[in-house]
Amino acid sequence: MSSYGDHPSGDGRATVNGPGQGRHRQGRVDDDDYVRGMRDRYAAAEAPPAGRARVPLREGAPTEPGPQRPAAAGRRPFPGLDFLKRLGKSRKRKALTIAFAAFIILFGSTTIVVTYFVDNVEMLDPKNLANAQVTKIFADDGKTQLAQLGTENRETIPMSILPDPVKHALIAGEDKDFYNHHGVSISGIVRAAWNNITGGDTQGASTITQQYVKIATQDVEMSIFRKAREAVLARKLEDKYDKETILGFYLNNVYFGRGAIGVQVAARTYFNKNAKDLTVAEAAVLGAVVRQPEETATFAGYDPQLNPQAAQDRWAYVLNNMKDADWLSDADRAAQQYPKTILPIRKDAGNAQWGLKGVGQTGLVTGNVVNYIAEELKAAPYSIADLKTGGYRITTTIDSKAQAAAESAARRGAPGSLMTGQKANVMAALVAIEPKTGRVLAYYGGDDATGHDYAGKNIENGQLTGGHPAGSSFKIYTLAAALQDGYSLDSHFDPAAFKDGDFEIENAGRDVDESCGNYCTLEWATVHSYNVPFYKVTKLMGVDKVVAMAKSAGIGTMWNTGDGKAYDLTSKTFKQTDNAPFYYHAGFGQYPITVIDHASGVATFANRGLYNKPHFVLKVERPIAGTDKFQLVNGEKLSPKQTIDQDVADDVNYVLQKIPGAGGHTLSGSRPVTGKTGTWQCQQTKHNCHAWFVGATKQIAAAVWVGNVGKEQAVYEKSGKDVSGAGLPGNIWEKFMNAASKGMSEQRFADKAGVGDPTKGEPGLQEPRKPGKCKWIFFCPTTEPTRRGRG
């Protein structure tokens, strides 16, 4: 039972040991000297005749309400015994009352004096309390809530937005005389104090002002000293603040169960609406549940899901009190119906999960976004601790339509997901970015934001982890670096497998196309994803130029597969030589990068080399005290930089537009789009562990990775074949891009710029003579036989 307020019996009075039942103290009548003396005198006067034994009243005979012993033969009952019993008990009660009064005067007065002169009522103002309010995180529409931060589930609202009937319904059950008293109920204090000192039920019998004092001081001790201090502080509170302000203090801080602190969160928790939109009947449910929201060992509480009958009885009591206080007419009271729709208790009630672990209240997994928000705002003029508890509103760049499309394609278990039915070790990650702004439109890095993020970076066992070998999808950066270095899309290289020292450089299962033999252009090598030409061009110009180009596009971190160490490419201390710490294999994607970085790189090319840093925050707003309004404290700041030559980006996009259609991944309506596949084999095997598809329209750039959960192992399609970039990742990418692009205008990429020198290519490589080019066919040199790359 709660320690304050009225008893649920409905009579509006505190009771002892339950309604209609006083506390009976068992004892013996003959313990009272006065009664014993009267009894002895009566016995002497009525002594039996000589020779006849007197039957005395047995020592320790029970008193009422126990059974009465019949009078012995020859004995007449004492007619004044009942009066003497009552007189004795009355004298004991008076003695206790006198002792209690002396106790109050001696000790309670000291408490009152100390409280009045020492305790400052300013400490009770909510702005001076350590009350945490949740910070809410929204999608870019400012309406769809994605997540929330905070240790306590509370949100402060001004009382001015609540209709009077709603306010009355919220307090009628606890204090229907709220507007008529000065903060203290003397009779309630005396009654509660008497119960406490005599061993009755501990009760507060408090006004709403006193209840708020208890909340603000966090004083849970049930004692006369606490009650005295509470009363004085309540009186001082009423002297300083008006009733409306005190009501706001109370309704914004009282606990309604289900993890909800304050009426605004309670309204959403029980009815999925704002407090200002509650009906009288709904508000009365909250006014009832606040009496005891949760189950205890002795009572199930007033939550409609835990104790429906008691909840409805208490609800009726609240409405009857409203009628008694003239807050509700007889007709309106009769018209009230108990709400039919009250939300069930969520399993994560009070934990504010909101997608941080598993699917959140929006049906989306957006918890990973919180980590990026914290990182993004760590340099802001407020601390992260303040951000978590200050009741802020953070509007993110996440587009709820794009996020839903990403999860529909990539999240196992989502309706229509392409991951449904895949083996348990298979995981997918997807990130989408708006090229012209760098806004992250969708982010899916796995179902558990408290676990490994497969789309970004992680700190695990003190090490930075998270990247995946990009395979041939990394060749977009190598191609751009070659074009920047003076090569052309028409520069020629021999794509045949060869040995470079201890390394066998192969084309990962691809045959050299007979149409170009040993004299293939960089454009052809890109579309057909040959490794050999990209290894050769990387060695010719130096890995440093490839890494620099990747950094310019948006790759911030690369991992060395030798020692597993992560390198921050943006750090001033990082230095890449022509072959260290990354070797020539960087040219065809051996070294891991993150999904979000790869999406950023593709976005930079789609934006014609104009780089925008990926970001998640559109704006941060702080609550304006005393209102339901917010003020802007931090807005989006865009700083685009031309990090890649525009003509180079145009030539890369020209080539990449040829790939999606060749792999069977054109978009609806033949929307112009770029794309690139990539795979990487498991160590010491010929089976694939990682597969990618990356690409972009002018409006959306997206990167999809498919790999495995936990230790590295081979990943297979549902058909049993090795996963490939054009397979599962390409299908996920296509499904997402079609859904996210729906309704957008079609925008074309710029034409080919034709940068570089077509004659600059592999040194010493001669264009083979072809039949028909010489006069005598017998003496014509033949084309070098086609050589096969190893799978």
Side-chain angles (χ1 to χ4, degrees):
M1 181 177 292
S2 174
S3 59
Y4 56 82
D6 298 321
H7 193 277
S9 57
D11 61 1
R13 297 172 296 168
T15 60
V16 184
N17 288 343
Q21 183 177 339
R23 180 172 177 84
H24 181 80
R25 301 193 66 185
Q26 202 74 12
R28 295 188 303 179
V29 172
D30 50 327
D31 283 341
D32 192 309
D33 292 336
Y34 176 78
V35 175
R36 184 186 302 111
M38 292 294 294
R39 182 200 64 192
D40 291 345
R41 285 194 295 275
Y42 170 77
E46 296 293 325
R52 189 173 173 186
R54 180 174 63 88
V55 182
L57 183 65
R58 183 172 58 87
E59 186 76 12
T63 63
E64 54 180 9
Q68 300 299 307
R69 180 176 179 178
R75 175 190 169 194
R76 292 183 302 170
F78 174 36
L81 184 60
D82 288 342
F83 166 76
L84 291 176
K85 290 177 182 177
R86 289 194 300 271
L87 180 62
K89 292 173 70 174
S90 174
R91 288 185 172 229
K92 286 190 288 183
R93 184 177 291 108
K94 288 179 180 179
L96 281 172
T97 302
I98 292 172
F100 172 62
F103 186 74
I104 287 284
I105 294 171
L106 181 62
F107 296 104
S109 298
T110 303
T111 300
I112 291 172
V113 170
V114 170
T115 299
Y116 190 86
F117 288 103
V118 175
D119 283 346
N120 186 351
V121 75
E122 294 285 347
M123 70 180 182
L124 302 180
D125 192 314
K127 69 176 182 290
N128 297 324
L129 303 179
N131 287 337
Q133 294 189 58
V134 294
T135 287
K136 296 186 176 183
I137 300 173
F138 294 88
D140 63 352
D141 60 7
K143 299 177 181 178
T144 305
Q145 187 177 347
L146 301 177
Q148 64 186 32
L149 305 173
T151 55
E152 293 182 346
N153 194 10
R154 71 166 77 228
E155 181 180 350
T156 298
I157 59 171
M159 290 297 99
S160 59
I161 70 173
L162 290 183
D164 285 342
V166 170
K167 297 176 191 174
H168 297 156
L170 290 167
I171 65 174
E174 297 298 302
D175 188 1
K176 67 182 179 182
D177 296 322
F178 172 70
Y179 293 102
N180 301 321
H181 60 61
H182 295 288
V184 181
S185 170
I186 299 300
S187 60
I189 291 176
V190 172
R191 182 170 60 249
W194 174 260
N195 290 338
N196 294 345
I197 200 170
T198 59
D201 283 357
T202 55
Q203 295 183 17
S206 303
T207 65
I208 277 179
T209 311
Q210 289 173 271
Q211 290 185 37
Y212 173 68
V213 170
K214 180 181 177 182
I215 294 169
T217 58
Q218 298 182 358
D219 192 346
V220 296
E221 178 190 5
M222 290 303 301
S223 69
I224 187 174
F225 302 106
R226 196 269 291 173
K227 294 301 296 183
R229 178 172 183 256
E230 178 186 286
V232 174
L233 287 175
R235 188 67 182 84
K236 292 179 72 175
L237 199 68
E238 295 258 354
D239 287 342
K240 182 173 178 60
Y241 300 102
D242 58 37
K243 287 288 187 179
E244 192 79 349
T245 301
I246 294 172
L247 182 63
F249 290 173
Y250 171 76
L251 289 180
N252 281 318
N253 290 278
V254 70
Y255 183 59
F256 285 89
R258 302 192 186 188
I261 299 174
V263 64
Q264 175 71 348
V265 177
R268 290 190 179 138
T269 302
Y270 285 85
F271 298 103
N272 195 30
K273 59 170 60 176
N274 291 320
K276 65 182 180 180
D277 299 322
L278 290 170
T279 66
V280 170
E282 290 168 341
V285 170
L286 299 182
V289 78
V290 74
R291 178 70 174 82
Q292 183 180 324
E294 295 176 341
E295 185 177 9
T296 66
T298 57
F299 184 62
Y302 293 105
D303 188 309
Q305 299 292 336
L306 297 176
N307 199 354
Q309 187 57 55
Q312 292 193 39
D313 291 345
R314 182 72 182 175
W315 174 81
Y317 169 72
V318 169
L319 293 175
N320 290 339
N321 274 8
M322 290 183 69
K323 185 170 70 73
D324 292 345
D326 293 328
W327 291 338
L328 203 63
S329 68
D330 290 345
D332 287 339
R333 170 63 186 94
Q336 297 301 318
Q337 299 292 324
Y338 197 76
K340 294 181 179 179
T341 304
I342 300 177
L343 297 179
I345 299 174
R346 288 177 54 86
K347 291 182 179 179
D348 62 351
N351 296 329
Q353 292 294 340
W354 283 92
L356 295 184
K357 187 179 181 66
V359 178
Q361 295 187 18
T362 58
L364 302 174
V365 179
T366 52
N368 279 311
V369 173
V370 174
N371 299 323
Y372 287 95
I373 290 172
E375 180 69 19
E376 214 167 301
L377 296 178
K378 67 181 180 181
Y382 35 76
S383 67
I384 294 299
D386 181 37
L387 198 64
K388 288 181 178 179
T389 59
Y392 290 81
R393 284 175 54 97
I394 300 176
T395 304
T396 71
T397 62
I398 296 296
D399 181 295
S400 55
K401 183 184 80 169
Q403 182 69 27
E407 295 189 28
S408 178
R411 176 167 64 84
R412 188 188 301 272
S417 171
L418 298 175
M419 287 295 294
T420 301
Q422 300 291 342
K423 292 186 177 180
N425 71 300
V426 181
M427 173 62 70
L430 187 156
V431 178
I433 294 175
E434 184 177 64
K436 67 179 181 180
T437 61
R439 294 175 180 173
V440 179
L441 304 176
Y443 190 99
Y444 177 71
D447 289 347
D448 185 359
T450 64
H452 189 86
D453 180 0
Y454 291 91
K457 295 185 289 188
N458 306 267
I459 299 293
E460 295 170 325
N461 298 321
Q463 299 294 319
L464 188 65
T465 66
H468 316 287
S472 292
S473 66
F474 194 85
K475 291 173 184 175
I476 61 176
Y477 310 114
T478 310
L479 176 62
L483 297 177
Q484 189 74 49
D485 199 52
Y487 291 90
S488 163
L489 292 178
D490 296 322
S491 295
H492 289 81
F493 289 84
D494 183 354
F498 75 107
K499 189 172 184 179
D500 186 26
D502 295 332
F503 298 109
E504 289 281 351
I505 309 303
E506 303 171 342
N507 291 312
R510 283 173 172 77
D511 292 338
V512 175
D513 195 288
E514 293 183 0
S515 61
C516 64
N518 67 328
Y519 196 69
C520 296
T521 64
L522 277 178
E523 178 181 333
W524 189 272
T526 303
V527 174
H528 291 77
S529 208
Y530 294 160
N531 290 340
V532 173
F534 283 91
Y535 180 93
K536 288 180 177 179
V537 75
T538 299
K539 186 173 182 179
L540 287 170
M541 62 182 174
V543 185
D544 54 330
K545 293 181 179 177
V546 175
V547 172
M549 179 56 69
K551 172 190 170 184
S552 296
I555 305 301
T557 308
M558 286 177 62
W559 280 259
N560 187 304
T561 50
D563 57 13
K565 183 178 179 181
Y567 289 87
D568 182 358
L569 307 188
T570 66
S571 171
K572 294 180 179 179
T573 61
F574 171 75
K575 182 172 179 58
Q576 168 70 44
T577 67
D578 66 345
N579 65 0
F582 303 108
Y583 200 61
Y584 306 131
H585 298 76
F588 55 85
Q590 173 172 308
Y591 302 106
I593 60 176
T594 64
V595 180
I596 186 172
D597 277 1
H598 214 356
S600 176
V602 176
T604 301
F605 284 108
N607 201 33
R608 304 187 73 189
L610 195 62
Y611 169 76
N612 283 287
K613 185 176 181 179
H615 58 283
F616 289 81
V617 178
L618 282 182
K619 61 181 178 179
V620 179
E621 298 170 290
R622 187 198 309 271
I624 300 175
T627 74
D628 60 346
K629 308 296 183 183
F630 290 79
Q631 63 183 23
L632 181 70
V633 294
N634 195 18
E636 183 183 33
K637 297 177 178 64
L638 301 180
S639 55
K641 296 179 181 178
Q642 193 74 46
T643 56
I644 301 174
D645 184 83
Q646 191 175 88
D647 288 343
V648 169
D650 289 344
D651 275 2
V652 171
N653 289 329
Y654 166 78
V655 176
L656 297 184
Q657 288 180 79
K658 298 184 176 184
I659 295 175
H665 293 299
T666 56
L667 298 186
S668 300
S670 299
R671 185 185 297 272
V673 64
T674 64
K676 186 69 188 79
T677 59
T679 57
W680 196 258
Q681 294 177 349
C682 306
Q683 292 185 4
Q684 311 301 323
T685 76
K686 293 184 179 180
H687 299 288
N688 296 330
C689 282
H690 305 272
W692 294 77
F693 198 103
V694 301
T697 63
K698 293 287 290 181
Q699 298 105 319
I700 302 176
V704 175
W705 164 86
V706 170
N708 51 75
V709 178
K711 67 178 182 178
E712 189 170 272
Q713 55 183 308
V715 177
Y716 301 97
E717 304 273 357
K718 282 192 284 189
S719 65
K721 294 181 179 179
D722 279 351
V723 70
S724 66
L728 181 57
N731 293 333
I732 291 173
W733 177 88
E734 180 182 344
K735 179 174 182 179
F736 164 75
M737 290 294 288
N738 276 327
S741 301
K742 189 175 182 180
M744 291 183 175
S745 62
E746 292 188 8
Q747 299 181 15
R748 301 189 64 82
F749 290 91
D751 294 335
K752 175 183 177 181
V755 300
D757 180 3
T759 66
K760 183 177 180 179
E762 183 177 344
L765 185 65
Q766 298 294 320
E767 180 178 5
R769 291 177 175 242
K770 296 181 180 179
K773 291 273 184 88
C774 58
K775 187 174 183 180
W776 302 102
I777 190 70
F778 182 81
F779 296 101
C780 289
T782 58
T783 302
E784 185 173 340
T786 298
R787 286 175 285 185
R788 302 173 63 86
R790 216 169 48 171

